[in-house]
Amino acid sequence: MKVPHAHQEVMLQVAGLDLELEALSSRLAELQTGAHLDALRTNLFAASSRMLEQQTQLENLQQELRKLEADIELVDKRIDLDKQRLSSTSSSKDAEGITSELRSLATRKSNLEDQELEIMEQVEQVSALVATESASRTSLSVELAEAEAALAGDITKLASKISIVETERAAKFAILSEEAANLFTKKAGRGIPAAALKGRDCDACRIGLTSSAYEDVVATPADEIATCPNCQAILVR
């Protein structure tokens, strides 16, 4: 098939643009999955889970603390009441019973206050953990948001680049005659349609031509199509 050498050069350029588009499209598909952000999302989810667990623990401790405070308040009221009873009784037997109950109430109050102090210490410790995880979660959220914004920007830039290359490809492909365009498309369906002959190597399959094959290609007129005997790509000399 006769094709002006200039148009063969166009075929080579279009083939190069097709390879570029393939690489760009592959990169775009990869970016659109957002897979490289999975580690950040996993870390954020883990931090959120830990914070939720610690918040639940903190709420339970605070509830237990409120119950202890209520129990201590009840004991204090009972102590006040018994002291009033003790001050107003004239019965030694009643006084002895009230005094015994006051000792029991004092022991009860002391035990409750010990528990209260222990729970208060736990509340302080868990509150610190919640604050730490909250700060970590906030930091990870910001980092993820920034990464997602950067990703969106990269996708936009890449899509724009693909559009530019597609436009350039279409303009160059339109230069070819219908016959040359059909040949190019047919070969593109099987592999790289056109490649440069570099020395004795086909730049498509990277295989060196035999001496006889090389001589045949070199002997082919510049305005005629020569093909690689190995991959059948159009060889542009």
Side-chain angles (χ1 to χ4, degrees):
M1 177 189 299
K2 285 189 175 294
V3 174
H5 187 266
H7 286 197
Q8 293 181 41
E9 290 285 353
V10 170
M11 287 181 168
L12 186 59
Q13 293 167 10
V14 173
L17 291 172
D18 283 343
L19 289 175
E20 184 178 358
L21 283 172
E22 183 179 351
L24 290 172
S25 298
S26 177
R27 177 58 179 158
L28 179 61
E30 180 184 349
L31 287 179
Q32 287 173 331
T33 66
H36 66 292
L37 301 183
D38 285 348
L40 275 176
R41 295 189 182 104
T42 298
N43 291 340
L44 178 58
F45 178 78
S48 298
S49 297
R50 288 194 300 270
M51 189 177 73
L52 178 60
E53 181 180 346
Q54 289 158 3
Q55 283 178 329
T56 300
Q57 183 181 0
L58 179 61
E59 290 170 1
N60 291 337
L61 287 170
Q62 290 171 333
Q63 183 178 357
E64 188 173 351
L65 184 60
R66 287 192 294 270
K67 183 178 182 301
L68 284 170
E69 290 170 345
D71 289 345
I72 290 172
E73 185 178 356
L74 287 175
V75 170
D76 282 338
K77 288 180 179 179
R78 185 62 181 271
I79 288 174
D80 290 341
L81 181 61
D82 280 357
K83 284 180 177 178
Q84 291 174 12
R85 287 173 59 210
L86 183 62
S87 64
S88 62
T89 186
S90 58
S91 168
S92 58
K93 183 177 180 180
D94 287 347
E96 184 179 348
I98 293 171
T99 300
S100 176
E101 184 174 339
L102 282 170
R103 286 196 294 269
S104 296
L105 288 171
T107 300
R108 170 67 174 159
K109 180 179 179 181
S110 178
N111 290 337
L112 288 171
E113 288 176 338
D114 287 343
Q115 294 177 48
E116 181 184 32
L117 285 174
E118 183 180 346
I119 296 301
M120 287 174 69
E121 289 177 357
Q122 293 181 34
V123 166
E124 185 177 354
Q125 292 170 356
V126 176
S127 294
L129 290 175
V130 169
T132 298
E133 288 300 343
S134 178
S136 175
R137 183 180 181 279
T138 299
S139 177
L140 287 168
S141 294
V142 170
E143 187 177 357
L144 179 59
E146 290 174 348
E148 288 175 337
L151 174 62
D154 289 342
I155 288 175
T156 298
K157 290 177 183 177
L158 197 53
S160 176
K161 174 65 174 176
I162 288 173
S163 178
I164 291 171
V165 175
E166 286 177 338
T167 300
E168 183 181 358
R169 196 261 188 203
K172 288 186 177 299
F173 192 74
I175 296 172
L176 302 177
S177 66
E178 182 178 355
E179 188 178 16
N182 289 339
L183 175 63
F184 181 93
T185 301
K186 181 179 179 181
K187 287 187 175 292
R190 299 173 181 173
I192 298 176
L197 178 65
K198 294 186 175 180
R200 291 177 56 172
D201 295 340
C202 167
D203 200 33
C205 61
R206 307 298 175 85
I207 298 176
L209 275 63
T210 64
S211 297
S212 60
Y214 178 73
E215 290 174 0
D216 289 342
V217 169
V218 172
T220 303
D223 62 347
E224 289 188 10
I225 293 293
T227 58
C228 172
N230 300 305
C231 68
Q232 303 304 310
I234 297 168
L235 285 176
V236 181
R237 292 86 69 202

